[in-house]
Amino acid sequence: MGENKIKVVIADDHKLFRKGMRALLGDFGFVIVTGEAENGIELLELLRVTDVLPDIILLDLRMPLMDGVEAYKEIKKLYPSVKVIVLTMEDDEQYILHLIGEGVNGYLLKNAETAEVETSIRKVTEEGYYYSDAISGLVMKNLKKRKKTETVFNPEFTDRELEVLELICKENSNAEIAKTLNVSIRTVEGYRMKLTEKSGAKNIAGLVVLALKYKWVSL
């Protein structure tokens, strides 16, 4: 039971919020909540002793003892395969941009609609990242401000790598990319790995941000 479900851990210092989020995720049918934590220290201990790591952590930023920002740094260092969606009331522009730059897989405000929470979990699982239209708009606005003063960075991507990158930026899943290019899913995964390595991105979310920033693809 639950073997094929997306395993999620909720980290938030408000017990009622965790309870409500657990109930909401349970309604989706494809998610199973495997743990809860009320601060970063408790979260890291939970990850240390668990037999099976979660697929996704829903992470609040404002928590006692160790906040979400510090916890995220440790998670990415110790458990790089675990994806993190920030779920917070923190809508400060610099906070958001900093965390996206650090490679968080998704960023949701706590007033997000149920459908958006569901979409974010599906997208992060299938494609590695999800940002709402509002967050994407914020990123683009910031990139336009900075592009005049920053040096252009252009890795030597092959034509096929750029093809894959464009499809990634258009939110195609691995399966969709494989079908479009008539290659195997494993081949697509190989291209994704090469793209992140060449770009220096921390993950696919960071790769997309860099692609938009330096206009490596035209959307």
Side-chain angles (χ1 to χ4, degrees), residues 22-194:
R22 179 185 276 271
L24 174 66
L25 297 178
D27 287 342
F28 293 163
F30 63 94
V31 173
I32 181 169
V33 177
T34 58
E36 297 179 17
E38 64 179 27
N39 58 62
I41 292 174
E42 192 173 297
L43 173 61
L44 291 172
E45 178 62 15
L46 185 156
L47 296 175
R48 187 183 70 81
V49 301
T50 189
D51 292 328
V52 181
L53 287 170
D55 301 301
I56 294 174
I57 296 172
L58 295 180
L59 181 66
D60 188 20
L61 294 182
R62 302 292 187 186
M63 297 185 294
L65 302 180
M66 178 186 283
D67 65 19
V69 176
E70 289 303 312
Y72 175 73
K73 291 177 184 176
E74 291 300 308
I75 291 164
K76 292 323 307 177
K77 183 168 64 177
L78 298 172
Y79 312 103
S81 66
V82 176
K83 298 177 174 67
V84 174
I85 299 176
V86 169
L87 185 58
T88 181
M89 288 305 296
E90 184 62 64
D91 61 355
D92 178 79
E93 181 174 321
Q94 291 309 310
Y95 232 100
I96 294 170
L97 292 170
H98 170 73
L99 285 165
I100 290 176
E102 286 297 307
V104 294
N105 302 91
Y107 197 108
L108 285 176
L109 296 179
K110 284 186 176 178
N111 59 5
E113 297 291 335
T114 299
E116 187 178 0
V117 177
E118 181 176 358
T119 297
S120 70
I121 292 173
R122 289 190 185 278
K123 290 278 189 180
V124 165
T125 300
E126 295 168 5
E127 299 164 25
Y129 75 99
Y130 170 80
Y131 301 124
S132 67
D133 291 342
I135 299 298
S136 297
L138 182 64
V139 172
M140 290 305 297
K141 185 180 80 171
N142 185 70
L143 295 181
K144 286 176 182 176
K145 282 182 187 175
R146 295 165 56 185
K147 69 179 182 181
K148 293 180 181 178
T149 59
E150 292 194 348
T151 304
V152 174
F153 170 51
N154 285 312
E156 294 183 3
F157 296 128
T158 65
D159 290 343
R160 179 46 67 95
E161 286 169 350
L162 287 172
E163 243 184 311
V164 173
L165 179 57
E166 182 174 342
L167 290 169
I168 290 172
C169 291
K170 288 180 177 176
E171 301 186 11
N172 286 266
S173 66
N174 282 359
E176 289 169 334
I177 295 171
K179 185 176 180 180
T180 299
L181 301 180
N182 195 28
V183 297
S184 69
I185 291 177
R186 181 170 290 184
T187 298
V188 174
E189 290 171 348
Y191 280 121
R192 284 166 65 109
M193 189 177 296
K194 287 178 185 176

